[in-house]
Amino acid sequence: MSASHRPAVLLSALLLVVPMVANAAQVRWPLTWKAGDTWTYQTESIDRCIEDGQPRAMRITDSTGIRVDEADANGYVQTWTTRDSRVETVEGDRTDVDTLAPILDQFDGFGVVVEFGADGRYRRMRNLDETSAKIRTAMQPITDINVGKMLGSDETKLAKAEREAVEALVQMQLAELFESFFSREVVETMTTAHIRTYTGFVGGTFAAGKRYRDAEPMRSPHSGKPLPAKREYTL
């Protein structure tokens, strides 16, 4: 999913459901979360890329529900649950769509539980270990398919003993890659990126039409480490 599309759509949707106080051109986004509050928003994003010189694009739509589980002087706990995810080809072949669709199905109805401080800022993800395990399980069949493609099905390419040795080596290397790519830091970054974007505006007062810029580091989706970044927002 394109990171550049989802936060923008999310922000637009939540601006409609979160109460605001306007004074002339100033708009305040108050922190009004109460235990038991729920919201639902619809998301549509277009993910574009170029592979082997050919453009590809797919559209992803879903419905996400937000429930406030706890709200007190110490902070807040929310559960974000995505349902009815759909992915379709916009341009190019269906390879990416066929790969992603069964993964999205496995996360239908799965809730991400997050904590926020009393100021509404993101604190941590409560069910990070459960989410990491689920992602690894969802990705394993894709990995197995790719290993088979790498080795080939033609027995003349590799003798059986050689094939088994190579397959064991590849599986070991992939296991190490899994540990890196699906580490706790990476999973937390990928899973909560849009949640952090949303909460970054809570409690602020903004001028309609004004461009806001910052140079705060962003977490890398591959390593979870901070990267230099520049962002621009407009209400």
Side-chain angles (χ1 to χ4, degrees), residues 104-121:
L104 293 178
D105 287 343
Q106 292 191 51
F107 283 89
D108 189 84
F110 181 78
V112 175
V113 184
V114 290
E115 290 184 9
F116 302 89
D119 59 357
R121 295 297 183 266

Side-chain angles (χ1 to χ4, degrees), residues 138-228:
M139 292 299 297
Q140 189 61 54
I142 307 301
T143 301
D144 293 340
I145 291 174
N146 288 332
V147 169
K149 289 181 178 179
M150 290 171 60
L151 297 177
S153 58
D154 188 351
E155 293 296 337
T156 61
K157 293 181 179 180
L158 289 173
K160 183 177 180 180
E162 294 176 330
R163 180 185 179 87
E164 291 177 348
V166 172
E167 184 172 355
L169 177 61
V170 171
Q171 291 287 6
M172 181 181 68
Q173 292 175 336
L174 285 175
E176 294 175 354
L177 180 62
F178 257 50
E179 288 301 318
S180 174
F181 193 75
F182 297 115
S183 66
R184 289 173 55 85
E185 293 80 5
V186 172
V187 170
E188 183 176 16
T189 298
M190 292 190 301
T191 306
T192 64
H194 60 289
I195 299 176
R196 293 168 186 262
T197 298
Y198 161 47
T199 56
F201 295 90
V202 173
T205 299
F206 308 93
K210 180 179 178 180
R211 294 181 182 275
Y212 293 88
R213 297 179 177 86
D214 71 54
E216 291 295 320
M218 293 180 64
R219 287 192 178 191
S220 166
H222 300 295
S223 67
K225 297 179 180 179
L227 296 174

Side-chain angles (χ1 to χ4, degrees), residues 18 24 45 55 64 81 86 105 133 167 182 189:
V18 178
S45 63
T64 296
T81 305
R86 298 289 183 270
D105 287 343
E167 184 172 355
F182 297 115
T189 298

Side-chain angles (χ1 to χ4, degrees), residues 19-81:
M20 294 204 170
V21 179
N23 181 12
Q26 298 293 312
V27 180
R28 181 167 62 88
W29 190 333
L31 181 56
T32 60
W33 299 335
K34 301 184 297 297
D37 282 351
T38 59
W39 302 279
T40 301
Y41 69 89
Q42 310 297 321
T43 298
E44 176 178 335
S45 63
I46 304 294
D47 191 359
R48 299 183 182 278
C49 68
I50 296 179
E51 188 171 326
D52 297 328
Q54 299 298 317
R56 288 187 179 183
M58 59 182 175
R59 177 184 293 107
I60 303 173
T61 59
D62 59 47
S63 174
T64 296
I66 307 170
R67 184 183 68 246
V68 180
D69 301 317
E70 301 175 20
D72 55 36
N74 295 320
Y76 306 87
V77 176
Q78 295 180 355
T79 298
W80 293 57
T81 305

